[in-house]
Amino acid sequence: MESNGVPLTPEQARAALADTERVRVSTTALTATPWPTWFLITLTLYAAALPITLGGIVADRYWLLPRPAWMATMLAITALYAALFSVAAKAWREKTGVALRMDVLPKRATLPLVVGLPLLLVGGPYAFRATGEPGWLVAASLIGAAVSVGFHLTFVRLHRRTA
């Protein structure tokens, strides 16, 4: 390695490499930073509303609202969620210079969420359809909201550990 045409000493080269590693760790910590609080609330509300909305869509018969109203509700809340996700990601990128990323988290933290949450959010509505008991929807909604908050708290703890 050279600096201004002068070769670096071994100590200077090691110091430069250590600085590079600190920048990499810092960048990883920034990209793993938790969602803004307003987006956590949005995500939690979406996770809570999804089972109930899906329950209305998959119900055998008219349940509280006609099926087209449930479909319109599902499309509206999903579009709103996607738009707010874009706003949160853009605001974070502008604030920190790095993108929000899930891939920097350990698989042991994200794999249960990626597998379990969809099963929960879709399983509750299908159990409701099979039994006619809305308790399945309420349970899936409450558990989905709890998982959202719990994952956020885990995210915060992991971020603090890497920061």
Side-chain angles (χ1 to χ4, degrees):
M1 297 179 87
E2 292 186 15
S3 176
N4 297 328
V6 179
L8 295 176
T9 66
E11 292 80 24
Q12 290 172 323
R14 278 191 283 280
L17 288 173
D19 284 344
T20 302
E21 181 62 19
R22 276 193 293 273
V23 169
R24 187 191 64 72
V25 168
S26 174
T27 301
T28 298
L30 277 176
T31 61
T33 299
W35 301 113
T37 303
W38 67 265
F39 189 70
L40 166 65
I41 294 166
T42 300
L43 181 58
T44 302
L45 290 174
Y46 183 70
L50 197 61
I52 295 168
T53 307
L54 285 173
I57 291 170
V58 301
D60 278 336
R61 60 196 182 290
Y62 177 95
W63 181 68
L64 300 178
L65 297 170
R67 185 171 282 149
W70 286 114
M71 292 292 286
T73 301
M74 177 62 127
L75 291 172
I77 65 172
T78 302
L80 179 62
Y81 170 77
L84 291 174
F85 177 85
S86 295
V87 169
K90 184 176 186 274
W92 183 252
R93 196 171 35 257
E94 288 173 357
K95 179 180 174 186
T96 65
V98 293
L100 286 168
R101 294 175 41 198
M102 296 286 285
D103 64 324
V104 296
L105 293 173
K107 297 285 186 259
R108 65 182 162 70
T110 56
L111 191 59
L113 181 76
V114 170
V115 172
L117 193 59
L119 289 174
L120 170 74
L121 297 178
V122 174
Y126 279 100
F128 164 68
R129 180 183 173 141
T131 65
E133 293 293 325
W136 289 103
L137 300 176
V138 173
S141 181
L142 292 174
I143 294 169
V147 167
S148 174
V149 172
F151 188 74
H152 177 76
L153 294 175
T154 300
F155 209 12
V156 168
R157 192 183 54 159
L158 288 171
H159 170 68
R160 286 188 183 137
R161 194 179 302 159
T162 60

